[in-house]
């Protein structure tokens, strides 16, 4: 009996599961998205990627949709989980392009998956606005896939931002010459350290300590104690979010006081500021924004209202901006993909991170370093950005 | 070797026809269904390779990802220097060498140690690769740009599956296969009748590993950007085991009938419930264990037996009565 009930349940579940969605009569603009909802990258995606996709669709549909060839079309979002695996991502993009036949695709999450899906996205002619990935040799990619656009700039742009900030601090006499370096032994850390080390040397800094650690390392106390023993004036870590938190924590525990303390990805998260509270004062990190800018302010507010969570001071806004670029380009050029790619290439777009335009498919205006000041993450360095604050010396842990 | 049995002949013809039909897929579609086909055939090859070893010996190996990753890296490292065929050979040899090492270290031990060791091994290799890349190459990702289309990869994987099958079939008919079945039933007895159990197991593990390595090599062009995390993804090992067990490992074609429904169900879940996929997958697992406790092959054989019994021939099939008795 139980078995029969179970079988009946199972069959109805399968029928329900396979039944096609009811086609709506209204004409919509179909947008596809594939990014991690499970797997190693799902935490990061849940913080900066998915909420912004949700917000963007909400914002557009609320104002009646997107204007395409004279008609107002609402957004119909088709979403898939790539399980943080390139294999799955490739399959999802294929499905979006050939089964769901979406009009446009929101580019995936992380450098690796963006690179793995680039050939496919290019084959179907979709514009690929990469807001969560970067690399050093972008020129080679763009040559191969001229429809890819990079909103985070080159890896070296980001990694050398802190060199400039330290130079500013040194010129003011607030920080000395000795730098301790740490980096995560993964794509990001290696690409960064590769370009950062020569830049530090060229700027006349003395690297007194250098170490790498494997991704996912739980105990980072040896990194901090090693750095502390070298008695540096500044500590720079090209780290991932969990390590950025752990390194900061360890530095406090070991009372490792430097005049400049920098962590990589994750330091610009609102949660980072909340976690460390007053202790965060003066900490430098990758990313940045002008938090006083009106566009960013109202974006931050509606992000909280629509998704229930705070956005960060960097990548989240860039993801949202990349979607704004896509929407504006579609409004300008229509549904024709090639025309939209062309419109993105040559246009200037008004977004939450200011005016965005591409030079050889790469954004040349970007924030590279920010600093926690009174509970807010202020951009202090960037390439041709407006509203950067002066960096200051970090006070001792208190 | 003895002559070919009538049943086997029939199987061979069916297999040949199926292979011919399947190889037409890239001519029919270039889009999603082909991508899906690639995934399907990939897991068909991996699970069949897995059960070559784990089926007869009943040693559960979680090293598929290690072999797969080695294959992927063999291609990524030397793509610019060597032709693809050579890279595939390197992948096979490197994986077989690794299998020999693991085998020599652990196959004298009992099953449990072997499972844990193979699981840890994948992680160990991933860390070694990460470390050496950061140490010597100063970058993590390797690019694999080739002119292979999705269809090419599909055909290669299909050929690989066919090759795995043929080798498995030949092994089953050989002295090695016979020896392994005895080992699987009772290792002590096997040793007593003079079978070099360790050597037999190692040889088979090497063959199985080599096939998994080749699968990794073929998939490298599709990844385009090779990172240790993606290449040595432990999920690959688990999926392979789950699919093979779902199919049943008593028959060579067992894993195959597990791979197809499993992949299809996973795909439906992923497409229909992108936000609740983990919960639905969990429920699906429960359902599978409940409905198919001895795998799809067990179920098929049971049904066949019932059919035969109703025709008045045949004997009781082991396991059948138990399943029905539970209802």
């Amino acid at each position: 009996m139980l078995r029969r009930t179970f079988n009946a349940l199972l069959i109805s579940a399968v029928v329900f599961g396979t039944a096609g969605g009811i086609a709506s009569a209204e004409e919509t603009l179909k947008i596809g998205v594939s990014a991690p909802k499970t797997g190693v990258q799902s935490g990061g995606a849940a913080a900066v990627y998915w909420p912004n996709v949700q917000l963007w669709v909400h914002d557009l549909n609320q104002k009646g949709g997107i204007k395409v060839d004279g008609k107002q079309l609402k957004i119909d979002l088709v979403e898939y989980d790539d399980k943080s695996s390139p294999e799955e991502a490739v399959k999802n993009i294929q499905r979006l392009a050939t089964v769901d036949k979406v009009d446009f695709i929101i580019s995936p999450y992380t450098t690796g998956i963006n690179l793995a899906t680039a050939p496919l996205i290019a084959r179907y002619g979709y514009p690929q606005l990469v807001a969560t990935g970067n690399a050093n040799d972008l020129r080679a990619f763009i040559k191969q896939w001229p429809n890819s656009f990079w909103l985070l700039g080159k890896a070296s742009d980001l990694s050398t931002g802190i060199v400039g900030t330290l130079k500013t601090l040194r010129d003011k006499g607030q920080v000395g010459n000795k730098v301790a370096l740490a980096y995560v032994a993964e794509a990001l850390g290696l690409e960064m350290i590769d370009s950062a080390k020569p830049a530090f040397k060229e700027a006349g800094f003395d690297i007194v300590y250098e170490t790498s650690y494997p991704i996912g390392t739980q105990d980072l106390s040896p990194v901090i104690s090693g750095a502390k023993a070298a008695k540096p004036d500044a500590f720079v870590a090209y780290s991932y979010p969990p390590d950025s938190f752990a390194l900061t924590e360890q530095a406090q525990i070991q009372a490792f006081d430097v005049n400049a303390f920098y962590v990589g990805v994750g330091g610009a998260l609102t949660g980072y500021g909340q976690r460390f509270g007053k202790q965060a004062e003066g900490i430098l990190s990758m990313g940045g924004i002008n938090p006083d800018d009106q566009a960013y302010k109202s974006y931050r507010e509606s992000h909280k209202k629509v998704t229930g969570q705070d956005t960060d001071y960097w990548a989240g806004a860039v993801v949202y901006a990349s979607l704004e670029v896509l929407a504006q380009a579609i409004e300008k050029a229509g549904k024709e993909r090639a025309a939209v790619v062309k419109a993105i290439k040559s246009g200037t777009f008004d977004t939450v991170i200011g005016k965005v335009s591409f030079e050889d498919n790469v954004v040349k205006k970007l924030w590279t370093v920010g600093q926690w000041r009174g509970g807010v993450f202020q951009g202090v360095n960037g390439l041709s950005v407006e509203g950067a604050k002066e960096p200051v010396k970090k006070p001792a842990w208190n | 070797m003895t002559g070919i049995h009538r049943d086997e002949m029939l199987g061979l013809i069916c297999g040949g026809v199926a292979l011919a039909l399947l190889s037409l897929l890239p001519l029919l579609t270039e889009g999603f269904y082909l991508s899906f086909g690639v995934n399907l055939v990939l897991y068909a090859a991996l699970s069949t390779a897995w059960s070559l070893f784990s089926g007869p010996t009943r040693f559960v190996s979680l090293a598929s990802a290690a072999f797969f990753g080695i294959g992927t890296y063999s291609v990524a490292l030397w793509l610019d220097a060597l032709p693809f065929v050579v890279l595939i050979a390197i992948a096979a040899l490197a994986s077989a060498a690794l299998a020999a090492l693991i085998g020599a270290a652990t196959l004298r031990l009992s099953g449990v140690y072997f499972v844990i060791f193979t699981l840890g091994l994948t992680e160990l290799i991933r860390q070694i690769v990460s470390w050496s890349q950061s140490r010597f190459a100063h970058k993590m990702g390797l690019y694999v740009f080739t002119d292979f289309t999705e269809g090419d990869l599909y055909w290669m994987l299909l050929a690989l599956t066919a090759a795995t099958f043929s080798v498995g079939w030949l092994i089953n008919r050989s002295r090695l296969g016979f020896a392994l079945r005895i080992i699987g039933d009772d290792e002590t007895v096997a040793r007593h009748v003079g079978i070099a159990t360790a050597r037999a197991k190692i040889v088979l593990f090497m063959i199985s590993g080599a096939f998994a390595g080749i699968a990794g090599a073929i998939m490298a062009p599709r990844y385009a950007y090779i990172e240790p995390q993606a290449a040595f993804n432990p999920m690959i090992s688990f999926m392979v085991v789950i699919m093979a067990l779902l199919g049943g490992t008593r028959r060579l074609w067992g894993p195959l009938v597990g791979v197809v429904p499993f992949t299809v169900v996973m795909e439906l879940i992923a497409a229909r419930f992108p936000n609740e996929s983990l919960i639905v997958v969990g429920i699906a697992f429960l359902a599978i264990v409940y409905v198919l406790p001895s795998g799809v092959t067990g179920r098929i054989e049971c049904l066949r037996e019932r059919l035969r019994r109703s025709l008045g021939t045949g004997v009781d099939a082991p396991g059948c009565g138990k399943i029905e008795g539970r209802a």
Side-chain angles (χ1 to χ4, degrees):
Chain A
M1 196 50 217
L2 176 65
R3 186 180 183 77
R4 210 165 295 161
T5 319
F6 190 84
N7 286 350
L9 260 176
L10 202 69
I11 289 166
S12 44
V14 169
V15 169
F16 171 70
T18 48
I22 301 148
S24 72
E26 200 185 353
E27 195 188 344
T28 55
L29 189 72
K30 248 187 169 183
I31 304 277
V33 57
S34 155
K37 286 173 188 282
T38 56
V40 283
Q41 304 288 2
S42 56
V48 300
Y49 188 90
W50 288 112
N52 283 295
V53 173
Q54 188 196 338
L55 178 64
W56 178 68
V57 173
H58 170 269
D59 286 355
L60 279 181
N61 283 348
Q62 208 180 30
K63 67 169 199 186
I66 186 169
K67 202 167 180 185
V68 186
D69 305 327
K71 273 180 288 184
Q72 284 284 119
L73 300 184
K74 290 221 163 149
I75 303 286
D76 176 17
L77 190 73
V78 185
E79 46 184 323
Y80 295 124
D81 176 11
D82 71 15
K83 299 175 187 159
S84 311
S85 117
E87 211 177 300
E88 208 61 41
V90 165
K91 209 173 59 189
N92 287 347
I93 299 290
Q94 285 274 27
R95 189 211 292 271
L96 288 171
T98 63
V99 178
D100 301 311
K101 298 198 170 61
V102 296
D103 296 307
F104 291 96
I105 283 178
I106 299 174
S107 90
Y109 182 71
T110 73
T111 308
I113 304 248
N114 265 297
L115 294 179
T117 52
L120 254 185
I121 296 180
R123 194 203 299 161
Y124 293 113
Y126 292 113
Q128 184 178 10
L129 288 150
V130 185
T132 56
N134 72 359
N136 271 328
D137 47 357
L138 282 181
R139 216 184 308 155
F141 293 120
I142 292 159
K143 220 169 126 194
Q144 199 137 9
W145 305 299
N147 58 336
S148 67
F149 298 89
W150 302 77
L151 281 96
L152 287 185
K154 281 191 299 187
S156 58
D157 291 341
L158 277 177
S159 66
T160 54
I162 181 63
V163 181
T165 304
L166 288 183
K167 251 175 27 192
T168 312
L169 286 169
R170 188 178 58 186
D171 291 345
K172 288 202 286 185
Q174 294 187 343
V175 73
N177 241 342
K178 287 183 286 178
V179 179
L181 293 178
Y183 58 96
V184 57
E186 261 299 311
L188 169 109
L190 292 165
E191 292 256 5
M192 300 257 150
I193 199 77
D194 219 29
S195 44
K197 255 169 72 178
F200 273 116
K201 283 190 186 136
E202 199 184 312
F205 285 101
D206 186 11
I207 299 169
V208 292
Y209 178 74
E210 184 190 334
T211 187
S212 73
Y213 56 88
I215 187 168
T217 305
Q218 303 286 330
D219 180 14
L220 289 165
S221 58
V223 173
I224 294 294
S225 58
K228 193 180 175 188
K231 297 199 169 55
D233 302 307
F235 175 76
V236 173
Y238 296 107
S239 50
Y240 270 136
D243 347 326
S244 299
F245 281 78
L247 285 168
T248 314
E249 212 161 275
Q250 270 303 322
Q252 275 179 61
I253 291 169
Q254 301 191 25
F256 172 46
D257 271 314
V258 278
N259 294 333
F261 187 89
Y262 171 92
V263 291
V265 185
L269 291 172
T270 302
Y272 183 91
Q274 283 163 352
R275 163 76 185 74
F276 295 106
K278 268 185 167 166
Q279 301 277 19
E281 185 64 26
I283 290 179
L284 296 156
S285 176
M286 192 179 287
I289 197 98
N290 178 5
D292 303 324
D293 182 69
Q294 204 44 52
Y296 174 76
K297 263 182 162 164
S298 56
Y299 153 73
R300 195 176 169 86
E301 235 165 69
S302 67
H303 189 286
K304 176 88 183 174
K305 210 161 67 196
V306 173
T307 69
Q309 67 188 78
D310 278 311
T311 185
D312 72 339
Y313 291 96
W314 181 36
V318 178
V319 170
Y320 190 82
S322 76
L323 298 171
E324 285 182 300
V325 170
L326 181 64
Q328 288 168 27
I330 294 171
E331 293 204 320
K332 201 187 284 175
K335 263 190 186 180
E336 191 66 50
R337 290 169 205 166
V340 172
V341 170
K342 229 169 121 191
I344 296 172
K345 238 184 227 288
S346 57
T348 301
F349 305 89
D350 226 349
T351 72
V352 292
I353 55 169
K355 292 234 184 299
V356 169
S357 64
F358 297 89
E359 207 174 291
D360 295 326
N361 292 26
V362 182
V363 159
K364 285 286 146 60
K365 189 183 124 181
L366 64 135
W367 290 96
T368 56
V369 185
Q371 185 169 40
W372 284 97
R373 293 275 206 37
V376 174
F377 193 69
Q378 303 269 4
V380 296
N381 196 7
L383 305 179
S384 43
V385 287
E386 294 136 34
K389 303 270 185 310
E390 274 286 299
V392 295
K393 177 178 150 182
K394 180 189 173 304
W397 304 110
N398 41 58
Chain B
M1 266 183 210
T2 51
I4 294 174
H5 195 269
R6 201 173 61 102
D7 268 8
E8 283 179 329
M9 202 58 207
L10 195 70
L12 210 64
I13 293 169
C14 287
V17 171
L19 189 68
L21 285 177
L22 283 172
S23 64
L24 295 178
L25 183 70
L27 306 176
L28 302 175
T29 168
E30 278 200 333
F32 166 69
Y33 293 103
L34 184 57
S35 281
F36 180 61
V38 169
N39 272 39
L40 204 93
V41 184
L42 167 70
Y43 278 104
L46 284 174
S47 325
T48 311
W50 179 86
S51 69
L52 276 189
F53 170 77
S54 297
T57 62
R58 301 188 184 174
F59 274 69
V60 173
S61 153
L62 289 174
S64 300
F67 300 130
F68 184 87
I70 295 232
T72 314
Y73 265 90
S74 306
V75 170
L77 284 172
W78 296 296
L79 183 69
D80 297 330
L82 297 167
F84 198 69
V85 189
V86 179
L87 295 177
I88 286 187
I90 292 177
L93 290 177
S95 304
L98 175 71
L101 266 172
I102 310 171
T106 59
L107 280 176
R108 286 168 207 277
L109 303 170
S110 79
V112 186
Y113 295 97
F114 180 74
V115 180
I116 298 298
F117 186 87
T118 50
L119 176 64
L121 178 90
T122 310
E123 189 59 24
L124 176 73
I125 295 181
R126 186 168 73 102
Q127 293 296 351
I128 292 175
V129 171
S130 295
W131 178 81
S132 38
Q133 277 195 297
S134 70
R135 198 88 207 149
F136 307 114
H138 298 290
K139 61 177 177 199
M140 196 45 73
L142 292 168
Y143 299 107
V144 176
F145 296 140
T146 62
D147 297 328
F148 289 124
T149 63
E150 197 93 350
D152 296 333
L153 300 184
Y154 176 83
W155 277 318
M156 282 195 271
L157 286 169
L158 201 62
L160 178 67
T161 312
T164 317
F165 239 79
S166 319
V167 168
W169 183 68
L170 287 175
I171 290 175
N172 266 344
R173 297 166 53 85
S174 70
R175 282 161 55 93
L176 179 63
F178 187 52
L180 284 159
R181 277 196 296 279
I182 299 174
I183 295 172
D185 284 338
D186 193 326
E187 198 164 340
T188 322
V189 170
R191 226 175 290 139
H192 270 280
V193 296
I195 296 171
T197 56
R199 202 186 59 196
K201 283 190 286 186
I202 293 174
V203 168
L204 199 64
F205 195 45
M206 286 170 68
I207 295 173
S208 156
F211 279 119
I214 295 175
I218 296 174
M219 283 301 278
R222 199 200 206 195
Y223 276 41
Y225 180 72
I226 313 280
E227 279 181 302
Q229 265 185 313
F232 296 95
N233 183 355
M235 273 315 277
I236 298 173
S237 304
F238 289 113
M239 293 297 250
V240 164
V241 175
I242 291 168
M243 290 185 202
L245 290 181
L246 168 64
T249 54
R250 276 186 295 171
R251 293 276 176 275
L252 190 59
W253 48 271
L256 216 55
V257 291
V259 167
V260 177
F262 187 88
T263 322
V264 171
V265 169
M266 282 296 164
E267 205 45 50
L268 284 176
I269 292 173
R272 287 273 141 203
F273 311 100
N275 291 312
E276 301 84 17
S277 61
L278 282 183
I279 299 171
V280 182
V281 166
I283 295 171
F285 273 144
L286 287 180
I288 287 167
V289 173
Y290 186 74
V291 180
L292 299 166
S294 50
V296 177
T297 41
R299 194 78 189 144
I300 292 175
E301 275 176 15
C302 177
L303 289 174
R304 208 162 69 171
E305 202 52 51
R306 237 199 274 171
L307 190 74
R308 226 179 269 174
R309 231 186 305 176
S310 68
L311 294 173
T313 55
V315 287
D316 277 359
C320 278
K322 222 170 74 196
I323 306 169
E324 295 312 307
R326 220 195 276 173

